[in-house]
């Protein structure tokens, strides 16, 4: 075990991340008040494409998702509302919280009480539940629905298929909104999105260093602006500052938590209502350093042996972006270079998970068995077996990422403590149970 004590410092860019999150929430209502384009859905896979709409806004997983998920009683009320409308618990728990806001009248209601009507639903079919949820929103609100099918395996045919969908989608959006799609804003949005994803991958690569400048609890929050506003210049400025700070922390051996007695991987989604579980290893002088979903917001060149390498900056790809067609082709190319092999496409998963654990210098790890996302569970136990066969001890716990009724805090904390102790770890002096983080 590495018992070295490293210097640690607060993350200077952290307040900017929180500022951008607050801005995104307010932007929906401000855009609606100004007569701008507001859409519903979860379009984060193709934000550069939507930049051509001009000053558009969208409330992602519902405008009150983050606030609601921090209040267990509010989350349960939301879920029970969904069940009262006939939806069952075997449906994605995130989508149930999303739909619950619709049924409760919150999805289109501002904090001041005004109501908006989005122009249309835009949904990238990351999974069948998202696609079906988009259709439900469309029917319930009486607004048009544009669905983009994004295959999981990159081939020339698949890329051409998506390009054609997006080009047709532009004409469709112009008819629905009555506004001219702006090709120049599309071009700038795609260029910005490419830079942002490159920076995120480069930042994540720095966490391979010992000590790591961040742990998973840090990067789980630091990634948030990428989810909702990756194509915006404000996010690019934020990522550039984060990248500079990351390099400085690595050069000066500034540690995430001060110790790295053991580096651990975390596969799967954490329980959103109990996110402090990601800090539990700190009690033992350890850190979670890597997570596949967290990596997936970056621009990667994933090699056949499972190695993650930072993808090429746009200027080195030779891709021209001079007009609408070329910008769309670049947007699709970017989408297929995002780390996204885990959900529904299990073929490369087993060797990738082992290679990631080795490259990020992990010695053991935890897999979250998530009832709330069926797609992510595809081949998850085979991945556990592959890790164990490669010599990595693996602990597991069960939960549902957005349904607190499917989670036992006491049982999970005890289970994880037993796992950490089985690795030969003991709690550091003065370390007690984790407390909820008020600022998250």
């Amino acid at each position: 075990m590495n018992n070295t004590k490293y210097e640690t410092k607060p993350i200077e860019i952290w307040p900017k991340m929180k500022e951008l999150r607050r801005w995104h929430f307010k932007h929906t209502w401000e855009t609606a008040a100004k007569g701008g384009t507001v859409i519903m859905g979860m379009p984060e896979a193709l934000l550069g494409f939507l930049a051509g709409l001009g000053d558009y806004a969208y409330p992602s997983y519902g405008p009150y998702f983050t606030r609601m998920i921090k209040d267990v009683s509010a989350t349960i009320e939301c879920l029970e509302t969904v069940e009262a409308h006939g939806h069952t618990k075997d449906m994605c728990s995130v989508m149930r919280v999303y739909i619950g806001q619709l049924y409760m009248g919150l999805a289109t209601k501002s904090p001041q009480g005004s109501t908006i009507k989005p122009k249309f639903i835009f949904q990238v079919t990351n999974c069948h539940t998202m696609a079906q949820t988009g259709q439900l929103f469309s029917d319930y609100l009486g607004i048009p629905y544009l669905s983009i099918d994004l295959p999981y395996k990159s081939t020339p045919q698949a890329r051409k298929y998506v390009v054609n969908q997006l080009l047709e989608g532009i004409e469709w959006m112009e008819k629905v909104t009555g506004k001219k799609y702006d090709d120049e804003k599309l071009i700038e949005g795609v260029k910005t999105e490419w830079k942002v994803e490159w920076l995120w991958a480069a930042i994540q690569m720095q966490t391979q260093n010992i000590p790591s400048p961040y742990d998973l609890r840090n990067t789980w929050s630091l990634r948030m602006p990428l989810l909702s506003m990756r194509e915006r210049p404000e996010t690019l400025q934020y990522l550039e500052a984060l990248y500079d700070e990351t390099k400085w922390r690595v050069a000066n051996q500034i540690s995430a938590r001060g110790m790295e007695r053991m580096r651990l991987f975390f596969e799967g989604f954490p329980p959103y209502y109990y996110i402090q579980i990601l800090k539990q290893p700190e009690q033992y002088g350890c850190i979670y350093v890597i997570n596949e979903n967290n990596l997936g917001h970056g621009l990667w060149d994933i090699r056949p042996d499972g190695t993650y390498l930072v993808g090429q900056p746009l200027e080195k790809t030779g891709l021209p972006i001079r007009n609408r067609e070329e910008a769309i082709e670049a947007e699709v190319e970017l989408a297929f270079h995002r780390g996204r092999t885990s959900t529904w496409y299990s073929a490369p998963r087993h060797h990738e998970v082992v290679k990631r654990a080795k490259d990020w210098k992990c010695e053991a790890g935890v897999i979250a068995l998530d009832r709330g996302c069926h797609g992510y569970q595809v081949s998850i136990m085979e991945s556990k077996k592959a890790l164990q066969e490669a010599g990595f001890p693996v602990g597991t716990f069960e939960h549902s990422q957005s349904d607190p009724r499917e989670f036992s805090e006491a049982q999970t904390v005890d289970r994880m403590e037993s796992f950490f102790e089985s690795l030969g770890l003991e709690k550091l002096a003065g370390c007690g149970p984790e407390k909820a983080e008020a600022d998250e």
Side-chain angles (χ1 to χ4, degrees):
M1 293 185 186
N2 178 8
N3 290 306
T4 304
K5 293 184 178 180
Y6 301 99
E7 184 180 1
T8 186
K9 289 181 179 293
I11 301 170
E12 293 183 5
I13 200 65
W14 193 269
K16 183 64 176 179
M17 174 271 294
K18 297 180 74 66
E19 176 188 328
L20 290 173
R21 292 176 67 176
R22 289 191 294 267
W23 180 89
H24 175 69
F25 173 77
K26 295 177 181 178
H27 184 55
T28 296
W29 319 116
E30 293 172 350
T31 301
K34 295 176 182 177
T37 302
V38 178
I39 65 175
M40 298 290 286
M42 291 143 284
E44 57 262 27
L46 294 170
L47 294 180
F49 168 69
L50 294 174
L53 293 172
D55 188 23
Y56 80 99
Y58 76 100
S60 192
Y61 294 81
Y64 301 100
F65 183 91
T66 301
R67 296 183 180 186
M68 186 173 287
I69 211 70
K70 292 189 290 185
D71 183 341
V72 170
S73 61
T75 305
I76 292 175
E77 179 186 1
C78 181
L79 294 168
E80 289 177 344
T81 300
V82 174
E83 289 155 15
H85 280 75
H87 301 288
T88 58
K89 287 185 178 181
D90 60 356
M91 180 181 172
C92 168
S93 60
V94 171
M95 293 300 99
R96 281 187 280 136
V97 175
Y98 183 35
I99 295 170
Q101 294 172 76
L102 178 69
Y103 290 146
M104 296 170 75
L106 297 174
T108 56
K109 187 176 182 179
S110 77
Q112 291 75 34
S114 61
T115 301
I116 63 171
K117 185 169 184 178
K119 294 291 185 181
F120 61 92
I121 306 293
F122 179 83
Q123 184 58 60
V124 180
T125 54
N126 294 327
C127 73
H128 67 283
T129 309
M130 283 186 173
Q132 204 69 20
T133 298
Q135 182 179 351
L136 187 152
F137 265 74
S138 174
D139 294 342
Y140 195 90
L141 295 174
I143 56 178
Y145 176 28
L146 175 60
S147 176
I148 301 297
D149 184 21
L150 190 60
Y152 285 90
K153 191 171 183 180
S154 177
T155 65
Q157 294 81 5
R159 292 194 292 274
K160 183 177 180 180
Y161 170 60
V162 181
V163 166
N164 288 338
Q165 288 182 81
L166 297 184
L167 290 173
E168 292 174 2
I170 290 174
E171 296 179 5
W172 183 92
M173 291 190 297
E174 287 181 327
K175 292 179 181 178
V176 167
T177 64
K179 296 180 180 180
K180 182 69 175 175
Y181 186 86
D182 192 324
D183 290 348
E184 290 302 317
K185 290 181 178 178
L186 163 69
I187 291 170
E188 288 306 310
V190 172
K191 289 180 178 179
T192 298
E193 189 176 20
W194 197 293
K195 291 176 184 177
V196 164
E197 292 195 24
W198 184 91
L199 285 165
W200 183 248
I203 290 165
Q204 288 278 26
M205 189 63 75
Q206 293 297 317
T207 62
Q208 290 185 355
N209 285 281
I210 299 176
S212 175
Y214 313 116
D215 71 350
L216 178 57
R217 182 64 195 92
N218 298 148
T219 55
W220 192 260
S221 286
L222 290 170
R223 89 197 204 287
M224 292 305 293
L226 282 79
L227 283 171
S228 54
M229 45 190 297
R230 196 171 55 244
E231 82 293 9
R232 298 189 67 94
E234 298 92 338
T235 305
L236 176 56
Q237 293 169 7
Y238 159 72
L239 262 293
E240 288 173 338
L242 177 59
Y243 180 59
D244 289 341
E245 182 174 353
T246 303
K247 291 191 295 182
W248 180 86
R249 291 174 73 94
V250 169
N252 290 276
Q253 289 202 313
I254 304 300
S255 167
R257 301 293 173 186
M259 291 188 72
E260 290 189 9
R261 298 181 70 200
M262 191 173 287
R263 292 163 62 95
L264 309 168
F265 57 81
F266 187 98
E267 284 289 312
F269 294 95
Y272 296 155
Y273 42 81
Y274 193 72
I275 199 69
Q276 60 267 35
I277 197 171
L278 297 181
K279 289 183 66 178
Q280 191 177 6
E282 185 181 358
Q283 300 174 37
Y284 297 85
C286 304
I287 63 169
Y288 288 126
V289 71
I290 196 66
N291 172 270
E292 180 188 30
N293 179 267
N294 214 23
L295 287 176
H297 305 289
L299 172 65
W300 297 103
D301 175 11
I302 304 177
R303 297 297 175 87
D305 69 347
T307 300
Y308 275 64
L309 298 176
V310 179
Q312 289 291 319
L314 183 59
E315 58 271 18
K316 292 187 178 181
T317 63
L319 291 172
I321 304 184
R322 299 162 299 194
N323 52 47
R324 174 183 296 185
E325 289 73 18
E326 291 175 350
I328 293 297
E329 288 172 359
E331 174 76 341
V332 172
E333 190 72 21
L334 179 61
F336 279 111
H337 275 83
R338 199 173 294 130
R340 51 194 296 277
T341 59
S342 63
T343 307
W344 304 113
Y345 180 48
S346 60
R349 189 175 194 180
H350 310 147
H351 61 267
E352 282 186 12
V353 69
V354 172
K355 195 66 169 64
R356 282 198 307 272
K358 291 178 179 178
D359 289 348
W360 266 266
K361 305 176 180 67
C362 297
E363 298 164 86
V366 169
I367 291 178
L369 304 177
D370 181 5
R371 300 189 190 97
C373 180
H374 298 289
Y376 203 92
Q377 300 311 299
V378 173
S379 79
I380 194 73
M381 297 308 291
E382 288 81 1
S383 293
K384 177 185 177 182
K385 180 180 178 182
L387 285 161
Q388 290 174 324
E389 289 176 347
F392 293 97
V394 182
T396 61
F397 71 94
E398 297 183 18
H399 75 108
S400 175
Q401 57 189 276
S402 297
D403 190 340
R405 299 169 300 177
E406 301 267 353
F407 177 76
S408 169
E409 177 183 334
Q411 184 182 49
T412 301
V413 169
D414 182 68
R415 186 182 183 95
M416 290 297 94
E417 286 182 346
S418 297
F419 173 65
F420 295 141
E421 290 169 5
S422 75
L423 299 174
L425 296 166
E426 295 180 355
K427 284 187 178 181
L428 302 177
C431 286
E434 282 294 322
K435 300 298 182 183
E437 300 173 27
D439 66 342
E440 288 301 318

